[in-house]
Each structure stands twice: as structure tokens, then as C-alpha cells.
Amino acid sequence: MENSKEEYINMQLIDSQSPYKNIIDLKNAIIFRGLVDGFMITYQLGICCVYIVFVATNIKQVADQYWNPLDVTTHMLILLLPLILINYIRNLKLLAPFSTLANLITFVGLAMTLVYMFKDLPSISEREMYGSLRNFSLYFGTTLFALEAVGVIIALENNMKTPQYFGGYCGVLNIGMTVIVILYIIMGFFGYIKYGSEAAGSVTFNLPQEEAMAQSIKIMFAIAIFITYALQAYVPVEILWTTYLDHRIQNRKILWEYVCRTVVTMVTFVLAIAIPRLGLFISLFGALCLSALGIAFPAIIEICVLWPDNDFGPLKYILIKNILLIVFGLLGLVVGTYVSIVDIVNSFK
């Protein structure tokens, strides 16, 4: 009799219509939703931390030429209140004009930076063509951090007036990413040719501190990134407030939402002060979060979507591709995060 009960329960668990199956699916959905949200929040907070370090460091390099030098932490503290206030903007559409302004400033700043890069540009033969295998993990994290904007992409599409123009071969996403990739290639290639192993976490840090044009570039980029901070902070606030807090709070919701926005800003501020290493910060969050969000999770989701029908194409190439992506993403997460943490610890010694 006991064996019959066990067989019955097992059959019910296998049956796709079974309530046990639904309960298991619900639990798995909750677990994986929380996992994705956790990575997404961590990644976006990491971006905000990088932005704070970037803005404070650029302002410091300019301010030190005219006033008594202050520690970069002091400059971060001065930025804290403005960062809190700009993060109080609740509607993403209200950020659009500021984002447009930031983009214009960025393009002008990039053009001015290229002037410095092409001035007395060394021969490519003077630079090492290949890096070490160990540094590849840092490059891996940095590249993911630079190119992937998984959190902002969904938010932008949802807030577009005509979201149907977002995707497609000639959609907003592909056109925008093409321009960004070309700019990254140009800045990265010529930045390395110009400065070699002395290239800093941001090329603006390599510009001469005493020249007015270089100082204006640093101020322009500081303003652009400061404005963009609110766009990046919008994502963790939206996830935390909409998914986990809004339905739990009955009174004074607006007040508590502002509290949530303030706490998010404070967390990024504290992290930025704790680890003011821009290049290593970028690599750490790229490897830690985007290896999962940008490589492993999409492959896992595609497998789950196609699994009931086993529609994986000839020779199950889609399944094989996704398995390889999952392995590659997890490997990048573990190795990249480990190397970044080790280098951060060593940088404080």
C-alpha cells in the first residue's frame, strides 16, 4: 500500500497538470525571480558607485589646480546631497531631457579627448600587442560592464511613446548599440596606443591636469555622468519599490518611496568611499553580475521556454549553444570576480 502511495505521488509530480507541479513551479519562479532581481540591483548599484568615483575624481583633478587639494572622499561627500536630490526624480520621462543633454556633452567631450589622443600619437609597434591570461578576466568584466545595460534597456522600452520602434534590425536598440560599440573601439584602441600601460581607469584621468581644455573635458564628463546617475539609480529603486515594498506599505507611500531613493543613494555612496578604485570596481561588477545577467540567465531562460516542445533545432544546436553560454558565463563570474577581489585587496596594501 505504501508503494502504491509513493508511485501515485511521483506520478502526480510528473504530471504537468498536477497541483504539486504548480507549487514547485511557483517556488522555483519566486526563487529565480529573486535571484535575477538581486543580480540586477547589485549591478545597477555598482554602476552608480562607479559614477560617483568617476565624477568625484574628475572634479578633484580640476579643483586641485585652483584650491587646496582635498581628498577624493571629501569630494564624494560634497556630491552626496545633489545625488540624493537628482534621484528624487520619480518619472523616467522627466529624465529624458537631462539624458539628452548628457549625451550631447559626452559627444563633445569625446571629440575633444580625441584631439589629445591624436596629438603626438606613438607608433603601434611601441605597444604590447597581447596581455597576460590573468588580465583577460579583468578585461572580460570591464567589457561586459561597458557594453551591457540590461536593466536600463527594459525600463527605456517600457517608457517609450512608441515601444515598437525599440527592437528590430534598424530599431533604437541596435542603432544605439552600434554607435556605442564603434565609440568604445575608437576610444579604447587609440587610448591604449597613446598611453599604453599607463592608461588609467578612465582616459580623462590621463589628460594633463594643468591645461584648460583638459580641465573643461573633465568637467563636461563629470556633469554628463552626474546627470546619468539618476537614470541608473532608477532601476534598483523601481525593482525594490514596485516589487517588494509598495504593496507592503499602506500609508504615506510617497514619503517611503523617497526614503527608499535616499537609502539607495546612501548605499552607493558608502560603497564608492569603501572601494575608490575605478578600473577594478568596473571589472568586479561586470564579472560578478553581467556574467550571470547577460550570458548565463538568458541561456537558461531560453532552455526553459523551449523545453516542453524540445524545439532546439537540428542536432539540438540551440541547447548545445545555451549550455556552452551557461558554462562560459559561470566561469567568467567565478574567475573574474575572484581576480577582481584579489586585485582590490592588493591595491590597498
Side-chain angles (χ1 to χ4, degrees), residues 109-119 186-187 190 217:
L110 289 174
M112 295 171 67
T113 304
L114 287 173
V115 173
Y116 277 101
M117 287 186 179
F118 289 126
K119 184 179 180 180
I186 293 173
M187 298 301 294
F190 289 106
I217 292 173

Side-chain angles (χ1 to χ4, degrees), residues 237-247:
V237 170
E238 182 72 9
I239 295 174
L240 288 170
W241 179 253
T242 304
T243 307
Y244 299 100
L245 298 177
D246 187 27
H247 63 281

Side-chain angles (χ1 to χ4, degrees), residues 5 79 96:
K5 288 183 178 179
L79 287 170

Side-chain angles (χ1 to χ4, degrees), residues 23 67 96 149 193-194 267 293 316 347:
I23 292 173
W67 297 282
I193 298 301
K194 175 68 175 180
V267 169
L293 287 173
K316 298 189 181 298
S347 70

Side-chain angles (χ1 to χ4, degrees), residues 45-109:
L45 293 179
I47 293 179
C48 294
C49 296
V50 170
Y51 282 10
I52 294 174
V53 175
F54 178 87
V55 173
T57 305
N58 277 285
I59 292 177
K60 170 180 168 56
Q61 290 188 351
V62 176
D64 287 354
Q65 303 300 313
Y66 301 97
W67 297 282
N68 292 330
L70 298 174
D71 187 74
V72 68
T73 303
T74 305
H75 286 282
M76 292 183 192
L77 187 60
I78 296 172
L79 287 170
L80 179 58
L81 181 58
L83 288 171
I84 292 175
L85 294 177
I86 197 171
N87 198 26
Y88 280 172
I89 299 177
R90 301 172 59 238
N91 192 333
L92 191 61
K93 293 179 180 179
L94 295 179
L95 292 172
F98 297 100
S99 180
T100 302
L101 175 62
N103 290 335
L104 292 174
I105 294 174
T106 300
F107 278 112
V108 174

